[in-house]
């Protein structure tokens, strides 16, 4: 099955989940206008984007079960695994609706942020809560009688809290309206990206697939985590690098991390290497909504050869991850192929 066909098969599952949630609201006696509002929120905020997290659940499950394609799954088997994938996409939607309000963002996935849609405004706060709550409604309906039901609940609760910890540290370290580079550090950046991105984007999809496939020994879960968490950190550092050094044609947007006062790997590496003069330039120019200030920061990054330091980091982390993967114990059913597939998607990506 082609990548496009696999994505479409996954997307085709979403309308039935929306209908299930609609029936739940009808059962509570919710009026039609409220049901239609919720349905609109679900459809506006969930299916867009690349769907990489949700699709990774399906792909990982197929590898663990030894299937050559997702087509090898029985219909009910596929639906159950795809539902877990959509639960991650609902979690992502919850995070993004809330994050856009916190950041006062304008657009998301090529359309206005949900809170900026006509008549939504602060109702988006409750809508975000309801996107998250949908996860547990669906899990209860479809997994309550499975032996790993509690594992799924704990996994979603733990990863949600971890992500919110990362978001908290990010918000108080790098508020967009107050620049203080003394709060920045590579260790703080590492904590932020591991907790804000790596757990829910890399570990969660694999762990969900592992539970569904019956490969749930604690040692296997740790083997997965030991590779996927640093891989998730590497992925975010790539994003930071591309935001600064990638072209709009390459990454599909204009990089804004410098003007937005982002606690990115680029600025933290520069702070680690900068002399007194360079540090002064960064203090005076970073996080300012001014193209000249941005250019001044990029000039310092160029002097410090940040791009070369990034490439050195990339090779070092890739070699370290390949070494960890080579040592994975497959005796209990876990497969190195799962981790290799993730690394191959990330290594030297350019968008």
């Amino acid at each position: 099955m082609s990548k496009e066909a696999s994505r479409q098969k996954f997307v085709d599952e979403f309308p039935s989940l929306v209908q299930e949630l609609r029936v739940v609201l009808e059962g509570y006696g919710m009026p039609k206008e409220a049901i239609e509002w919720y349905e609109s929120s679900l459809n506006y905020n969930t299916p867009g984007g690349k769907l990489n997290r949700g699709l990774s659940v399906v792909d990982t499950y197929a590898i663990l079960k030894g299937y050559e394609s997702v087509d090898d799954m029985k219909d009910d088997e596929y639906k159950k695994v795809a539902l877990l994938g959509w639960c991650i996409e609902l979690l992502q939607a919850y995070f993004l609706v809330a994050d856009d309000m916190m950041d006062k963002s304008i657009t998301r996935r090529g359309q206005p942020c949900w809170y900026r849609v006509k008549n939504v405004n602060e109702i988006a706060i409750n809508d975000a809560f309801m996107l998250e709550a949908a996860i547990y409604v669906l899990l209860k309906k479809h997994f309550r009688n499975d032996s790993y039901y509690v594992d799924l609940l704990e996994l979603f609760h733990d990863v949600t809290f971890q992500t919110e910890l990362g978001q908290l540290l990010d918000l108080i370290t790098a508020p967009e309206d107050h620049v203080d580079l003394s709060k920045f550090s590579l260790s703080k950046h590492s904590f932020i990206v591991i907790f804000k991105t790596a757990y829910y984007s890399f570990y969660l999809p694999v762990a969900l697939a592992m539970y569904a496939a019956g490969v749930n020994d604690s040692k296997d879960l740790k083997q997965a985590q030991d590779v996927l968490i640093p891989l998730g950190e590497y992925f975010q550092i790539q994003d930071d690098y591309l935001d600064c050094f990638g072209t709009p044609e390459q990454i599909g947007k204009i990089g804004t991390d410098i003007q937005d006062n982002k606690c990115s790997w680029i600025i933290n590496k520069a702070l680690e290497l900068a002399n007194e003069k360079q540090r002064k330039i960064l203090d005076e120019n970073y996080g300012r909504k001014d193209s000249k200030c941005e250019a001044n920061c990029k000039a310092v990054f160029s002097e410090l050869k940040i791009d070369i330091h990034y490439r050195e980091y990339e090779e070092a982390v890739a070699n370290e991850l390949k070494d960890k993967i080579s040592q994975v114990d497959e005796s209990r059913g876990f497969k190195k192929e799962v981790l290799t597939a993730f690394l191959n998607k990330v290594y030297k990506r350019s968008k």
Side-chain angles (χ1 to χ4, degrees):
M1 179 179 282
S2 69
K3 186 176 180 181
E4 292 75 18
S6 180
R7 187 184 192 279
Q8 189 57 52
K9 182 179 175 72
F10 182 70
V11 169
D12 289 343
E13 291 296 313
F14 188 66
S16 64
L17 301 182
V18 174
Q19 179 58 28
E20 286 184 29
L21 292 165
R22 182 185 180 97
V23 169
V24 171
L25 267 63
E26 289 171 346
Y28 285 128
M30 287 287 281
K32 183 181 177 183
E33 63 175 332
I35 294 172
E36 290 177 350
W37 182 285
Y38 188 37
E39 200 168 350
S40 177
S41 169
L42 287 164
N43 286 317
Y44 192 93
N45 295 301
T46 315
K50 299 174 184 176
L51 305 179
N52 286 338
R53 295 166 183 82
L55 287 165
S56 292
V57 180
V58 178
D59 293 342
T60 300
Y61 179 86
I63 292 171
L64 291 172
K65 298 294 283 187
Y67 296 139
E68 291 185 11
S69 165
V70 296
D71 275 345
D72 294 341
M73 295 185 208
K74 296 175 183 177
D75 284 348
D76 58 343
E77 182 182 21
Y78 178 83
K79 286 179 179 296
K80 205 162 183 178
V81 178
L83 185 145
L84 289 175
W86 277 113
C87 283
I88 298 188
E89 295 299 332
L90 284 164
L91 184 67
Q92 165 82 336
Y94 157 57
F95 289 148
L96 295 184
V97 169
D99 189 61
D100 286 342
M101 293 192 75
M102 286 182 259
D103 291 346
K104 299 180 178 63
S105 299
I106 305 300
T107 60
R108 169 72 66 180
R109 296 169 173 169
Q111 59 186 5
C113 297
W114 177 243
Y115 79 97
R116 292 178 58 84
V117 171
K118 186 178 179 181
N119 298 325
V120 176
N121 301 311
E122 283 79 12
I123 299 173
I125 298 171
N126 192 64
D127 292 335
F129 297 157
M130 291 185 70
L131 288 166
E132 184 199 22
I135 297 167
Y136 300 101
V137 172
L138 294 170
L139 289 178
K140 182 178 180 181
K141 179 178 179 182
H142 292 273
F143 292 91
R144 190 178 186 184
N145 295 322
D146 288 296
S147 60
Y148 54 94
Y149 174 57
V150 172
D151 294 313
L152 297 179
L153 296 180
E154 290 187 349
L155 186 59
F156 268 104
H157 284 308
D158 289 347
V159 170
T160 299
F161 188 56
Q162 287 163 335
T163 307
E164 290 161 351
L165 290 175
Q167 174 75 339
L168 171 62
L169 186 58
D170 193 16
L171 290 168
I172 63 176
T173 300
E176 200 169 328
D177 59 351
H178 179 68
V179 183
D180 183 358
L181 297 185
S182 67
K183 289 186 174 183
F184 287 20
S185 69
L186 281 170
S187 61
K188 200 173 276 189
H189 173 268
S190 179
F191 186 97
I192 290 169
V193 301
I194 285 173
F195 279 76
K196 187 177 175 180
T197 300
Y199 276 110
Y200 94 95
S201 298
F202 285 81
Y203 177 65
L204 180 58
V206 172
L208 289 172
M210 290 172 70
Y211 281 120
V215 183
N216 53 14
D217 188 282
S218 60
K219 292 179 181 177
D220 285 328
L221 289 163
K222 187 174 188 309
Q223 286 190 118
Q225 184 169 319
D226 286 349
V227 170
L228 293 165
I229 296 305
L231 181 59
E233 182 177 15
Y234 165 38
F235 175 86
Q236 184 57 54
I237 289 173
Q238 274 182 327
D239 257 15
D240 294 350
Y241 173 80
L242 291 169
D243 186 274
C244 183
F245 293 96
T247 64
E249 295 76 21
Q250 182 183 12
I251 63 175
K253 64 177 182 177
I254 297 172
T256 61
D257 283 1
I258 294 173
Q259 292 195 28
D260 291 346
N261 191 36
K262 294 294 185 182
C263 182
S264 78
W265 184 85
I266 302 297
I267 182 63
N268 280 293
K269 190 66 181 176
L271 292 172
E272 181 184 68
L273 299 170
N275 59 32
E276 189 175 335
K277 179 182 176 182
Q278 291 164 330
R279 173 59 187 257
K280 188 172 187 294
I281 293 171
L282 294 175
D283 280 329
E284 292 174 350
N285 291 274
Y286 196 77
R288 271 66 177 183
K289 304 290 187 184
D290 184 293
S291 58
K292 289 183 179 178
C293 291
E294 181 180 47
N296 290 338
C297 291
K298 286 190 174 183
V300 173
F301 297 160
S302 179
E303 290 173 15
L304 294 171
K305 297 181 170 56
I306 296 297
D307 57 333
I308 293 175
H309 285 283
Y310 167 75
R311 286 195 287 272
E312 289 173 350
Y313 159 79
E314 181 173 50
E315 289 307 311
V317 74
N319 288 331
E320 181 182 333
L321 290 171
K322 287 174 185 175
D323 184 55
K324 283 185 177 181
I325 293 171
S326 71
Q327 297 177 44
V328 164
D329 177 6
E330 297 181 314
S331 64
R332 291 173 298 274
F334 190 58
K335 295 183 180 180
K336 299 175 185 178
E337 186 184 346
V338 169
L339 304 175
T340 301
F342 269 81
L343 178 58
N344 289 343
K345 288 177 186 176
V346 174
Y347 182 54
K348 286 192 180 296
R349 70 185 175 98
S350 59
K351 59 181 180 179

